[in-house]
Amino acid sequence: MPTDNPLLSPSTLPYGLPDYPAIRPEHYLPAFEAAFAEHTREIQNITRARSMPTFENTMVPLEESGKLLGDVARTFYTVSSADATPAIQEIEETLAPLMSAHQDSIQLDSALFWRIKTLHDQLDDLDLTPEQRYLVERHHTEMSHAGAGLDDDAKERLTELNRRLSTLTTQFEKNLLADTNDLAVVFDDVAELDGLSEGEISAAAQAAADRGLEGRWVVTLTLFTGHPYLSSLTDRTSRARLLEASRARGSRGDEHDNRGTLLEIVRLRAERAALLGYDSHAAYVTSDETAGSPEAVHDLLRRLAVPAARNARREQEKLQAIVDAEPAPFPLEAHDWAFYTEKVRAAEYDLDRAALRPWFEAERVLRDGVFRAATELYGITFRERPDLPAYHPDARVFEVFNADGSELGLFVLDLYTRDTKRGGAWMNSIVLQSQLRGTAPVVVNNLNVPKPAPGRPTLLTLDEVTTLFHEFGHALHGLFATVTYPHFAGTNVYRDFVEFPSQVNEMWIYWPEILASYARHIDTDEPLPADVVEKLHASEAFNQGFATSEYLAAAWLDQAWHSLALDDAAGDLDVAAFEASALADIGLDNPAVPTRYSSTYFAHIFSGGYSAGYYSYIWSEVLDADTVEWFRENGGLRRENGDRFRERLLGVGGSKDPLEAYRDFRGRDAEIQPLLNRRGLAG
């Protein structure tokens, strides 16, 4: 292979971290082409073997295959999601159909499927370890699910569908990123930002300066419908402008309009599901998740929607009462909710969440909060490695060590928002752990925190603190999974299970010794006052009607789109009308409580991996709430508890049925009551 392409030679950096400074955009496509060819040869070496299938001559080389492709892909997609320059976007558009076609060539390979099916049919007669047996089962299920058993004509059509869908989902994300940047709200007068902190105003001024708008202020949009600043802006017009811009994304009739794109995605997914023998895309997706069927998902969502909507209406009445008492009352609208919610919070709990930011300085939250909780619970330690380059100057690299001092892996943190980064927050892997390959994990956390002007501290909102703990829960899952085969590495578990470990990690935010460690005033080093901590605990279920409703509305929209049968999906659908009908169907059509994501900017389901799976967050939260109860019953932040959770759940990665792993950890199946109590939905 050419030696002048750094992607085609093993990295010389610790843990196989890619040498990003040496990689240029023009290196990626040639590296992918070489990796596709190598992977194809490796599969052909398996399928052309004349001997009957055995675990050693089929499954082991299958797991060893594709290493170069995986390395190149993870290197590239880390960049394309976090630093998507025009050159990177162009590569991604070119790559999407090529990657889809290659994946299909493997997953739909009849000869490979025959060998795996042969092993699967004689599993009980093979002398396999539990992980080896599960590996055969998962490959057989996944290839069957992908369509390996179809005839040649059906496979050809399936490949066409997958290729087109890969292009469309890439286009959806590109449109969304462009429109999110275009719709960032520009303010000419700082008075329009009254209510924001000095640091927030500084960040808005810096964002304007970065766009060449000196002397003005720019507020960039978040991925979800709302915005943290809506709770603080005193100018109602400013709030309305911000929410209106957010909700307009992908639906303005311009070159970035996502309506036609998403409708074609819905139609093609429905066609693919029908081709594979399913009534809908939702039926196809859930058939290989812990939920099992759309009906199980719909049952949970409907069960929760009724009390959530009821609680939201009660909350709305309190907000309206405050508005009515003002000199110039008005009907409460969606852009008013967060602002007046803080007034109710202040009245009922004497708590101003916006005023807490000086206690949440980002570096201290990271080191004395997120890292300390992990050290206390699991014994792991962290050392920053400024000598190791990441893919962007803002991304920082930390080496992680086990309690005995042995090397565990690398953790990369990319905290700040930028125009080239997609919205939201996420975790991904650059290198997968595998005993077979002798590799250790390299994992990344991305957030979208506004970057203050140089020399100013980064002060987080409580929601951003929560996000940092949440995403690090994913990172721990990726770091701790210790498996033989790369197919099971890290977070490679069922989609409706993957959010569970990250949600559990949020419990340490308010744990007394952790909170006392990181929540200290930026100027005085005073801890967060005890009475404020009590108020935070007392208000944990506050505004949960709104929070649960906006989430459930988005989860239901996802199900509505993806539960369409082919004939219905192929009809002449109006996106706005479809949304309105779906939300009315589940009783979550309150105009003051908009869905967390509307369809045209619902990246999770139209460009991410959560299609027909956005329900996963609440589904996983059942396990999460039940687990938090277990930790509290067993003394909380103790090494014994962390070791049990790591060994029996996080450490198995995807090498075991997730619900079986949960039962092994908890001693029983999860119960829903802790979730109902947490969200104020009981009774």
Side-chain angles (χ1 to χ4, degrees):
M1 288 186 180
T3 57
D4 59 345
N5 188 330
L7 289 164
L8 295 178
S9 301
S11 171
T12 59
L13 296 177
Y15 300 91
L17 179 71
D19 187 4
Y20 280 108
I23 301 170
R24 299 189 302 275
E26 58 265 28
H27 289 140
Y28 283 112
L29 285 177
F32 271 106
E33 291 170 2
F36 289 151
E38 178 174 289
H39 193 200
T40 298
R41 286 193 297 271
E42 290 167 338
I43 297 301
Q44 289 174 345
N45 287 339
I46 299 170
T47 59
R48 291 174 178 173
R50 296 184 177 182
S51 53
M52 287 297 290
T54 66
F55 188 88
E56 291 300 323
N57 71 17
T58 300
M59 304 310 300
V60 171
L62 178 60
E63 287 296 298
E64 290 175 331
S65 73
K67 183 181 184 305
L68 177 61
L69 178 57
D71 290 346
V72 173
R74 286 187 297 274
T75 300
F76 174 75
Y77 289 121
T78 295
V79 173
S80 69
S81 60
D83 193 20
T85 62
I88 293 296
Q89 287 188 344
E90 184 178 349
I91 293 167
E92 188 167 26
E93 287 185 76
T94 302
L95 178 63
L98 301 177
M99 178 64 84
S100 174
H102 177 75
Q103 290 172 337
D104 280 345
S105 73
I106 307 300
Q107 286 291 87
L108 303 182
D109 188 303
S110 299
L112 179 63
F113 184 57
W114 174 82
R115 296 187 73 86
I116 292 173
K117 186 177 184 304
T118 299
L119 292 174
H120 186 263
D121 289 346
Q122 50 187 254
L123 266 179
D124 291 338
D125 300 325
L126 302 177
D127 184 21
L128 302 179
T129 67
E131 184 179 358
Q132 290 172 335
R133 181 185 178 98
Y134 195 58
L135 184 70
V136 176
E137 291 174 343
R138 287 308 303 156
H139 272 291
H140 180 263
T141 297
E142 289 165 17
M143 290 190 73
S144 299
H145 200 243
L150 297 176
D151 62 34
D152 289 344
D153 288 342
K155 284 182 180 178
E156 183 177 352
R157 178 56 182 159
L158 180 62
T159 299
E160 292 172 0
L161 291 171
N162 289 339
R163 185 183 296 116
R164 178 61 180 160
L165 281 165
S166 71
T167 299
L168 290 167
T169 54
T170 301
Q171 184 64 45
F172 186 97
E173 183 170 336
K174 181 182 178 182
N175 288 345
L176 176 55
L177 178 60
D179 222 24
T180 298
N181 289 334
D182 285 352
L183 283 164
V185 183
V186 181
F187 294 94
D188 297 321
D189 188 343
V190 72
E192 297 173 284
L193 299 180
D194 180 63
L196 298 189
S197 69
E198 185 180 349
E200 289 167 333
I201 291 173
S202 170
Q206 184 64 44
D210 291 344
R211 293 171 180 234
L213 301 173
E214 297 287 349
R216 303 169 83 182
W217 293 263
V218 168
V219 176
T220 56
L221 302 178
T222 55
L223 185 60
F224 56 92
T225 297
H227 194 286
Y229 293 177
L230 292 175
S231 64
S232 305
L233 288 166
T234 61
D235 189 318
R236 191 166 185 241
T237 300
S238 296
R239 298 198 302 267
R241 287 182 63 197
L242 195 53
L243 191 62
E244 181 182 355
S246 178
R247 299 181 76 175
R249 285 173 293 170
S251 60
R252 294 188 292 158
D254 59 7
E255 61 181 327
H256 303 141
D257 196 302
N258 263 332
R259 287 174 292 190
T261 303
L262 77 88
L263 287 174
E264 188 176 357
I265 290 172
V266 168
R267 180 178 63 78
L268 295 184
R269 284 175 174 168
E271 182 182 347
R272 181 175 62 184
L275 187 65
L276 291 165
Y278 294 89
D279 293 336
S280 67
H281 181 69
Y284 168 68
V285 168
T286 54
S287 68
D288 195 34
E289 302 288 356
T290 66
S293 70
E295 290 75 21
V297 175
H298 298 176
D299 179 66
L300 176 65
L301 298 183
R302 287 191 181 277
R303 177 179 176 183
L304 299 177
V306 172
R310 180 190 63 228
N311 289 356
R313 286 192 295 271
R314 290 174 180 167
E315 293 163 2
Q316 186 175 356
E317 290 169 2
K318 290 184 178 181
L319 303 183
Q320 188 65 57
I322 291 182
V323 176
D324 290 344
E326 294 189 342
F330 52 83
L332 184 89
E333 295 186 63
H335 56 266
D336 301 311
W337 189 291
F339 183 76
Y340 285 94
T341 289
E342 293 311 310
K343 288 184 176 291
V344 173
R345 196 193 307 269
E348 293 192 1
Y349 301 99
D350 189 23
L351 183 62
D352 181 358
R353 283 164 57 105
L356 300 180
R357 291 183 64 156
W359 277 271
F360 300 140
E361 191 272 320
E363 189 67 14
R364 186 143 203 175
V365 173
L366 176 68
R367 293 187 180 275
D368 297 338
V370 174
F371 285 175
R372 178 174 176 178
T375 299
E376 295 285 335
L377 194 61
Y378 305 110
I380 59 175
T381 55
F382 305 83
R383 182 183 69 181
E384 188 159 9
R385 294 290 304 270
D387 58 310
L388 295 181
Y391 53 85
H392 188 276
D394 285 345
R396 303 163 61 189
V397 180
F398 298 84
E399 190 169 12
V400 190
F401 300 91
N402 287 303
D404 62 3
S406 60
E407 299 171 346
L408 177 58
L410 293 181
F411 168 67
V412 181
L413 176 64
D414 189 351
L415 188 66
Y416 297 114
T417 190
R418 50 183 169 267
D419 287 351
T420 54
K421 182 189 282 191
R422 66 175 169 89
W426 66 94
M427 169 268 184
N428 66 273
S429 295
I430 300 179
V431 181
L432 299 177
Q433 178 275 333
S434 166
Q435 293 171 341
L436 180 68
R437 292 179 175 176
T439 51
V442 177
V443 301
V444 184
N445 273 175
N446 263 282
L447 280 75
N448 266 285
V449 175
K451 189 175 185 179
R456 304 303 298 269
T458 301
L459 302 180
L460 304 179
T461 66
L462 188 54
D463 285 343
E464 288 166 342
V465 171
T466 301
T467 300
L468 191 56
F469 273 86
H470 176 99
E471 294 304 330
F472 193 70
H474 285 304
L476 288 172
H477 199 182
L479 287 166
F480 285 159
T482 305
V483 299
T484 303
Y485 305 104
H487 196 73
F488 294 143
T491 58
N492 287 331
V493 296
Y494 290 139
R495 176 65 67 182
D496 57 8
F497 188 81
V498 74
E499 294 299 332
F500 159 56
S502 56
Q503 290 169 333
V504 169
N505 203 56
E506 295 177 26
M507 74 176 291
W508 310 118
I509 295 170
Y510 291 132
W511 204 259
E513 57 263 48
I514 300 302
L515 185 66
S517 176
Y518 77 82
R520 307 188 76 91
H521 197 280
I522 184 68
D523 297 322
T524 67
D525 201 42
E526 290 295 315
L528 196 63
D531 65 317
V532 174
V533 176
E534 291 177 11
K535 292 167 186 175
L536 285 171
H537 282 299
S539 64
E540 281 186 278
F542 178 74
N543 203 43
Q544 278 299 315
F546 175 93
T548 306
S549 293
E550 68 158 1
Y551 164 75
L552 292 175
W556 189 255
L557 273 184
D558 174 31
Q559 289 297 307
W561 282 119
H562 291 119
S563 293
L564 291 173
L566 178 56
D567 289 346
D568 297 325
D572 185 17
L573 297 173
D574 178 276
V575 172
F578 182 88
E579 283 196 4
S581 176
L583 296 178
D585 176 43
I586 199 172
L588 294 172
D589 52 345
N590 184 342
V593 187
T595 175
R596 186 167 176 81
Y597 300 99
S598 285
S599 304
T600 55
Y601 53 91
F602 204 164
H604 284 77
I605 68 170
F606 290 122
S607 63
Y610 283 82
S611 64
Y614 192 65
Y615 74 91
S616 301
Y617 290 90
I618 201 80
W619 192 270
S620 295
E621 196 177 342
V622 174
L623 305 175
D624 155 39
D626 195 52
T627 298
V628 168
E629 186 174 85
W630 179 90
F631 270 102
R632 287 177 174 152
E633 290 171 351
N634 289 275
L637 196 68
R638 299 169 61 229
R639 275 293 306 279
E640 303 95 299
N641 292 341
D643 289 345
R644 179 184 177 94
F645 192 55
R646 176 178 178 174
E647 177 187 347
R648 302 194 182 196
L649 209 145
L650 301 179
V652 303
S655 66
K656 192 174 188 178
D657 179 273
L659 295 184
E660 182 182 334
Y662 185 82
R663 283 188 290 270
D664 185 36
F665 160 72
R666 187 68 167 98
R668 58 166 172 77
D669 290 329
E671 297 176 353
I672 196 173
Q673 194 60 42
L675 168 67
L676 300 177
N677 295 338
R678 171 192 290 182
R679 287 186 171 259
L681 302 176

